[in-house]
Amino acid sequence: MTTIGLIGSGNIGSTVARLAVAAGHDVVLSNSRGPETLQELVGELGPKARAATPAEAAAAGDIVVVTVPLKAFRDVPAGPLAGKVVIDTNNYYPERDGVFEELENGSTTTGELLQGHLAESHVVKAFNNIYFEHLASLGRPAGAADRTALPIAGDDAAARKTVAELLDSLGYDTVDVGPLAENRRTQRDTPVYVTPYGAFGGPATPADAETIRAAVAAA
């Protein structure tokens, strides 16, 4: 099994951690407030989970999930992530993150920003287009008729394959949309953002690969 490091343990991070533990993976959780603030979550997850600092989680993970607000992406420790596959869940919310002119004018994407900061890592965008409550409930075994798909984007094909294999273990198919520049098709306010899986706060709706592929293409 794989060890999943998490830098950020909010709604998406804790949901990914729960799915990972259920799939048999080990998880190392961290946040900006310190390991002691994660003891309740670690207790819930059981012996396959432990709390650490962001640098420790980065060092421990075979795959590391960065799930912090976009405004904090420069705080992600680059050194221990060198050579690793990093999953980026970030979206750009100017009201929370402040204005990023390069995102406003479309000259780059959120995934490319993190890749620029983590120049020696292999960043793959995933989990950014689904509401965390839907993510928690839509996982299905491989081959299930109602299996849901999630889009991914990354500049390294081998890293995308690694993330697709992880998603498969968590109960999800993958729609590979190509390089990080294409994560513009999966960001906030695009057709594939939240809606295919159900409304915010509403019941979850399975969305297969064909549905997700069409939504990505419509962006």
Side-chain angles (χ1 to χ4, degrees):
M1 287 293 111
T2 302
T3 296
I4 310 299
L6 292 117
I7 299 177
S9 299
N11 289 334
I12 288 289
S14 61
T15 300
V16 171
R18 290 184 180 96
L19 293 174
V21 166
H25 301 295
D26 294 317
V27 299
V28 182
L29 299 119
S30 70
N31 63 16
S32 61
R33 295 175 293 126
E36 65 280 358
T37 66
L38 293 167
Q39 293 311 309
E40 183 176 348
L41 178 57
V42 167
E44 173 198 332
L45 292 171
K48 296 189 77 63
R50 66 182 176 90
T53 66
E56 290 166 344
D62 299 309
I63 300 171
V64 179
V65 181
V66 171
T67 180
V68 299
L70 179 66
K71 63 183 178 182
F73 83 89
R74 294 181 184 88
D75 297 331
V76 175
L81 292 173
K84 296 193 177 189
V85 174
V86 175
I87 297 176
D88 171 29
T89 78
N90 290 327
N91 285 300
Y92 173 46
Y93 303 102
E95 64 275 19
R96 177 197 67 185
D97 300 314
V99 174
F100 284 68
E101 199 56 49
E102 62 268 54
L103 297 176
E104 294 286 339
N105 65 28
S107 62
T108 193
T109 63
T110 54
E112 289 172 297
L113 282 180
L114 185 62
Q115 181 66 82
H117 174 62
L118 303 177
E120 296 183 36
S121 304
H122 307 294
V123 173
V124 177
K125 177 71 75 171
F127 299 122
N128 66 299
N129 72 308
I130 186 169
Y131 182 50
F132 76 97
E133 291 184 357
H134 299 160
L135 178 63
S137 64
L138 284 174
R140 301 288 188 275
D146 61 345
R147 207 177 204 217
T148 286
L150 298 173
I152 65 170
D155 291 340
D156 184 272
R160 297 198 307 270
K161 182 175 184 291
T162 295
V163 172
E165 290 169 351
L166 174 64
L167 293 186
D168 181 54
S169 78
L170 303 185
Y172 287 88
D173 288 338
T174 297
V175 171
D176 186 339
V177 305
L180 279 173
E182 291 300 298
N183 88 235
R184 65 183 179 81
R185 297 180 180 272
T186 71
Q187 63 194 4
R188 179 189 185 184
D189 299 329
T190 62
V192 81
Y193 181 76
V194 178
T195 305
Y197 311 107
F200 276 116
T205 304
D208 64 12
E210 183 178 351
T211 299
I212 297 308
R213 199 172 288 114
V216 169

